[in-house]
Amino acid sequence: QIDLRLANQALSRSEYEVADPLFRRSMATFERLNGHPDPEAAIPFSSLLHATGRADEAEGVLRAALAQVERETPPIHPGRAALSAQLATNYSRRGLPEQAEPLLRKALDIKRAIYGEDHPSLDTTRHNLARNLTELGRWADAEAIYRDVLRAQIGRYGESHPGVAASQAGLARALLDSDRADEAEPLWRSAQATAKAKFGEIDAAVGITAIGLGRTLLALGRYDDAAAQLDLAERVYTQLGKNGTSSLARVRIERTRVDLARGDDRIDCGDAQAASDTFNAPNANRGYALAVLAACLRARDEPAARKTLDAALDLLRTHRDDRFPERRYAEALAASWR
């Protein structure tokens, strides 16, 4: 359909307000003519919905398309794999990794049956499974998968490839979250060098590595170097505008932590407050933001500090077990205040 082609072109340029009505018109026409949803449009349209903060609507689109494909195709079919993987991405982005894991394993099994074990299509799904396991705190499992993916990717593309950089960043995060910051640092640096060479400094891939490297250097006690990386991340996400809002909030949380660690007498809690306002859903992201805000308020002798920390602990104890770095940070704060 012409509308679908135009919608995909607009989406590739991040012209979401142009793409949205084109997708909807294309999908309505397809359903009117065929009596069921259009699976071909579901994945790109769900990507648009994610990018514009409508993940719940994206889930409905993907579920309907997957149900249709499962009615019409045999068990081993690439459409089933693609839609299962995209629905898993939806759950992961909404902080529901438990629901994402079986969908990713299903997609991986289908792809293995179609393509065999050594195929680029499996790299992406295995990478996403490893990232999901990182979210679940299963860091050793994630590490093993990331290392397998890296071996395959480096053999296929060489060291300086965006896919390799993405897997290095994923592995670095798993190592960092499991208290192996010294091992994570060189992986972040390699991933960042590749991202800068391929995309330039102002790119989301660079921003991801700058946040990760900033967190790593903070954990290693190298506060000035951490601040420099977080300044880079702030430049990236400021220039990306509304598409970088949540990442910019995370940058400002980590920058507040750096300032606290350095004992900055002029520390401003405004960034941490803004970040906690950005992460307004009752989940671990908000809990962590509130914990950092509480630490900042305490440094300024603000009376709201204790109440803010209690709210943070309520969320983190609900959504993170005590192995996760965000929970450990909040618990350490609470212990220091007793």
Side-chain angles (χ1 to χ4, degrees), residues 203-219:
D203 183 84
V206 175
I208 289 167
T209 61
I211 294 176
L213 193 49
R215 288 181 59 218
T216 299
L217 295 166
L218 170 62

Side-chain angles (χ1 to χ4, degrees), residues 113-130:
I114 295 171
Y115 305 116
E117 189 66 44
D118 185 25
H119 189 276
S121 179
L122 272 71
D123 294 344
T124 301
T125 307
R126 288 191 297 173
H127 173 101
N128 290 339
L129 176 59

Side-chain angles (χ1 to χ4, degrees), residues 53 113 200 246:
S246 62

Side-chain angles (χ1 to χ4, degrees), residues 65-89:
L66 180 58
Q68 182 61 36
V69 167
E70 288 178 338
R71 283 193 293 269
E72 293 186 344
T73 65
I76 304 302
H77 188 275
R80 291 183 181 228
L83 285 162
S84 294
Q86 188 73 0
L87 183 56
T89 298

